[in-house]
Amino acid sequence: MEEVAEYALHIQCSWRIVKGNKIVVASRDFYSPRTGLDDENEYFEWDVQGNNRFDERIEFFIEGINEHTIVERVGSDEVGGLKIFLSQGYLVKGFPDTSEDDEYSEFWKLFNRKEDSPHFVVTGNGIENE
């Protein structure tokens, strides 16, 4: 049986995971080739799993954490930015990078995976509960 987390975080804005002064993995890594693939290669397909830098870097991140990694605290800012401080010195940062403020401007949401549980949603219009 597959084990899944009780809570899920969907980030739909720019984000990065840092440790100290180093970016471990970031949202734009999807569009760069993994180590060993030539950026000028006309056959680079970012959306093929294993081809992009994200796939390479997230594997490195997952190997660096363990079952004892916990969320130590969470913070936000006045424009919808998000900071999640993890043990082992990791920090997850979400930072909205658009001025859109319509019903489609969802930056991120946190929710319990249980059926019919409310979602905490941050948009260009502020905080919403779905």
Side-chain angles (χ1 to χ4, degrees):
M1 181 166 69
E2 184 181 4
E3 188 175 322
V4 296
E6 183 177 353
Y7 289 91
L9 173 66
H10 289 183
I11 301 179
Q12 294 177 233
C13 62
S14 294
W15 60 267
R16 64 182 171 237
I17 300 173
V18 300
K19 185 170 186 174
N21 63 353
K22 177 79 174 153
I23 297 174
V24 176
V25 63
S27 53
R28 290 200 46 183
D29 287 341
F30 284 109
Y31 308 107
S32 297
R34 75 179 299 124
T35 303
L37 285 181
D38 184 2
D39 195 15
E40 301 299 318
N41 183 344
E42 63 186 80
Y43 301 108
F44 169 62
E45 296 179 55
W46 69 269
D47 57 345
V48 173
Q49 188 168 0
N51 268 8
N52 63 54
R53 185 161 175 80
F54 170 82
D55 294 333
E56 176 181 27
R57 299 303 299 167
I58 200 68
E59 185 177 310
F60 172 79
F61 170 68
I62 290 170
E63 288 174 359
I65 63 173
N66 59 47
E67 67 274 1
H68 303 294
T69 302
I70 62 168
V71 173
E72 293 181 338
R73 68 183 195 274
V74 176
S76 63
D77 63 31
E78 62 278 354
V79 292
L82 171 68
K83 289 183 179 181
I84 303 173
F85 297 85
L86 303 176
S87 57
Q88 298 178 299
Y90 289 103
L91 173 61
V92 179
K93 291 181 166 184
F95 41 100
D97 57 357
T98 180
S99 60
E100 293 177 10
D101 59 1
D102 59 20
E103 69 264 22
Y104 304 109
S105 66
E106 182 175 300
F107 300 147
W108 57 272
K109 70 180 168 183
L110 177 68
F111 59 96
N112 189 307
R113 291 177 177 255
K114 294 179 184 174
E115 192 173 322
D116 297 326
S117 69
H119 293 194
F120 180 84
V121 182
V122 177
T123 72
N125 289 325
I127 298 170
E128 300 174 5
N129 286 306
E130 293 181 346

